[in-house]
Amino acid sequence: METYIEYWKVLTEAGRSSPSRARKLLKPYAKGAYLDHLVKGVEQMVAQGREPYGQMIPRVKQVKVGGKYAEVVDCQDMSQAAMADRRTHQVIPETTKGNSTADIIAMLQQSSDGRWRLTGLRIKGAACTPPSP
């Protein structure tokens, strides 16, 4: 679960950097086609003149582990996150609308070095109720 939580912190920083730096930042947390997908997302944000603003806050509801594979079910708090203009760093107003929470399912795999890395992530559009603290 630690890898999943740290991933969200690093993802914001990666989104504010160049695609090559994003790959280096994300490599300890994501692998394979999913890592490539994330770097492509950074390339698109750069082309659009956007960057992440604020921070997503994981609220993990469940972790299932089976051998070298794991699934994290999260009711993520997105109320403090949006997109910003890459040049001015000002929030783009239309990116603050929508649900303040979202159900997320993340798939992880334990690598040969023993680290867990994300291999995929599905975001369901429906709002959710975070677990009690």
Side-chain angles (χ1 to χ4, degrees), residues 60-99:
V60 175
K61 297 187 330 186
Q62 184 178 28
V63 177
K64 302 175 196 172
V65 179
K68 293 186 178 235
Y69 298 92
E71 181 179 276
V72 174
V73 180
D74 183 15
C75 177
Q76 190 168 96
D77 179 349
M78 302 182 307
S79 63
Q80 303 300 311
M83 295 300 286
D85 182 285
R86 202 169 188 87
R87 187 178 41 81
T88 67
H89 311 292
Q90 297 297 309
V91 172
I92 301 168
E94 63 269 17
T95 66
T96 62
K97 297 177 182 163
N99 292 332

Side-chain angles (χ1 to χ4, degrees), residues 9-10 15 18 23-24 27-28 31 50 55 57 61 63 66 69 71 73 78-79 85 96 102 105 109 111 121 127-128:
K9 295 174 186 175
V10 172
S18 69
R23 182 175 294 279
K24 288 178 188 170
K27 198 168 184 177
K31 64 187 272 181
R50 294 180 173 213
Q55 190 71 48
I57 303 167
K61 297 187 330 186
V63 177
Y69 298 92
E71 181 179 276
V73 180
M78 302 182 307
S79 63
D85 182 285
T96 62
I105 298 173
Q109 183 178 7
S111 298
L121 187 129
C128 55

Side-chain angles (χ1 to χ4, degrees), residues 18-53:
S18 69
S20 62
R21 182 160 186 270
R23 182 175 294 279
K24 288 178 188 170
L25 289 169
L26 292 168
K27 198 168 184 177
Y29 303 96
K31 64 187 272 181
Y34 187 62
L35 176 60
D36 294 340
H37 166 76
L38 293 171
V39 173
K40 183 77 169 167
V42 172
E43 289 172 0
Q44 291 170 346
M45 283 191 292
V46 169
Q48 295 167 353
R50 294 180 173 213
E51 67 182 7
Y53 179 89

